[in-house]
Amino acid sequence: MILVTGATGNIGRELARELDTKNATFRLLVRDPARTAALPKRAERAVGDLGEPSTLTPAFDGVDKLFLLTQGIGTDYTAAAVAAAKAAGVSHIVHLSSTNVLGDPMPAMGRWHHEREEIIRASGIPVTFLRPGGFMTNTLDWVPTIREGGYVLDPVGPGRYAPIDPADIAAVAALALTEDGHQGKEYVLTGNEMFTVTEQVQIIAQTIGRDIEVRETATPAEAVRSRFPHGAPQALADAITEGFTLMRADTAGFRTDTLEQLLGRRPRTFADWCARNADAFRQPETA
């Protein structure tokens, strides 16, 4: 039995579909079962919350493999999941980490992920670490300004990176969960195309048939305020600001061919992802 955390998120949804295609036996850990209506019907549902450890025992019952995704700041969710996994006799964890752990010096985002990795290592449970770079779905943060004003704030200017489709991350996770030979591995995953923000916006604009302005004078702080209009925890805001600053300085970018080696195909393209998600960027029709 495989337990999937973060089952209703960008990666978890895709992972559920991948596991269903592979006829795996799996269970979805969710806080609200109503949000799983679009996910495979044959998957078990377990109601629980990593923030409430007392809810995890029944969810982990009979589980031998765990896909662990924890969001936000800190390590409490990871510690709770690992404790439940140890108690249940889980034999393999596939953990979603980040390329940020490779930073030298390691940025705040990287330190949080590194601390989570260390908790899992200390448990003694065999683990596969997935360390993806930026997600293509991060561009959905631009939806409000695209819809309302036809523009995107660009705090990284000449910085380049190789965004990855969450569906590709899910495909690697499914491979690691259902095939032998992945325990003890660390997979650094990126897309295959290098982009600046301006180049990504151009593809979105072409996809939806609308002009979109790129405001390259935006500061990291302005971009954070746009992303979190009601405010964000200071530590998170500081970490995102730091990340934007580092991205601006990286004009070469970073990518790997790990995904192609594992899956035997090239990563999905950003244009393909935009075509599948075009409606998210379009202005809703008014009645």
Side-chain angles (χ1 to χ4, degrees):
M1 173 68 74
I2 299 168
L3 181 64
V4 177
T5 64
T8 59
N10 291 320
I11 296 173
R13 290 195 304 268
E14 299 290 351
L15 177 56
R17 295 172 186 135
E18 289 278 349
L19 293 174
D20 189 44
T21 299
K22 292 177 178 290
N23 293 314
T25 301
F26 64 105
R27 180 182 298 156
L28 310 176
L29 177 64
V30 295
R31 286 175 290 192
D32 180 5
R35 295 184 61 195
T36 68
L39 297 180
K41 302 300 182 186
R42 70 179 187 85
E44 293 184 13
R45 272 70 166 164
V47 178
D49 188 334
L50 295 179
E52 299 180 17
S54 62
T55 67
L56 299 182
T57 298
F60 278 76
D61 183 40
V63 168
D64 61 339
K65 295 184 179 182
L66 169 67
F67 175 72
L68 180 58
L69 183 161
T70 55
Q71 298 175 321
I73 299 171
T75 60
D76 289 350
Y77 289 1
T78 302
V82 169
K86 287 190 68 173
V90 169
S91 61
H92 183 200
I93 296 175
V94 175
H95 176 61
L96 187 75
S97 185
S98 168
T99 55
N100 282 303
V101 302
L102 305 175
D104 184 17
M106 192 182 295
M109 286 285 189
R111 291 194 296 274
W112 294 333
H113 284 286
H114 174 72
E115 289 167 1
R116 295 167 187 168
E117 287 189 5
E118 289 298 292
I119 289 172
I120 298 170
R121 287 192 183 93
S123 74
I125 301 173
V127 60
T128 305
F129 290 117
L130 307 184
R131 294 171 173 167
F135 299 174
M136 293 180 184
T137 46
N138 290 348
T139 60
L140 294 173
D141 290 339
W142 303 338
V143 166
T145 59
I146 290 175
R147 285 187 169 186
E148 296 167 13
Y151 69 91
V152 167
L153 297 177
D154 176 13
V156 302
R160 307 181 75 84
Y161 78 117
I164 185 169
D165 189 330
D168 279 343
I169 301 172
V172 173
L175 185 76
L177 289 163
T178 59
E179 296 186 5
D180 295 331
H182 300 283
Q183 295 181 353
K185 303 292 186 179
E186 300 170 353
Y187 296 136
V188 180
L189 307 171
T190 71
N192 195 51
E193 305 167 299
M194 290 290 189
F195 292 113
T196 62
V197 166
T198 294
E199 290 165 347
Q200 285 186 283
V201 172
Q202 289 171 346
I203 293 174
I204 295 171
Q206 292 168 1
T207 302
I208 66 174
R210 179 183 181 185
D211 290 336
I212 304 173
E213 176 192 359
V214 179
R215 298 184 178 176
E216 296 183 358
T217 58
T219 66
E222 287 172 336
V224 171
R225 286 196 296 272
S226 176
R227 182 174 174 181
F228 299 98
H230 303 295
Q234 190 60 51
L236 179 60
D238 290 345
I240 294 173
T241 298
E242 179 187 30
F244 284 149
T245 302
L246 293 172
M247 287 179 67
R248 174 175 280 275
D250 185 5
T251 58
F254 169 77
R255 63 184 169 188
T256 73
D257 63 356
T258 305
L259 188 143
E260 186 171 358
Q261 292 179 15
L262 290 169
L263 301 181
R265 63 166 175 81
R266 296 170 72 86
R268 292 173 172 89
T269 68
F270 184 61
D272 288 342
W273 180 88
C274 288
R276 299 198 314 271
N277 295 275
D279 287 346
F281 296 96
R282 292 192 174 104
Q283 187 73 28
E285 294 184 6
T286 56

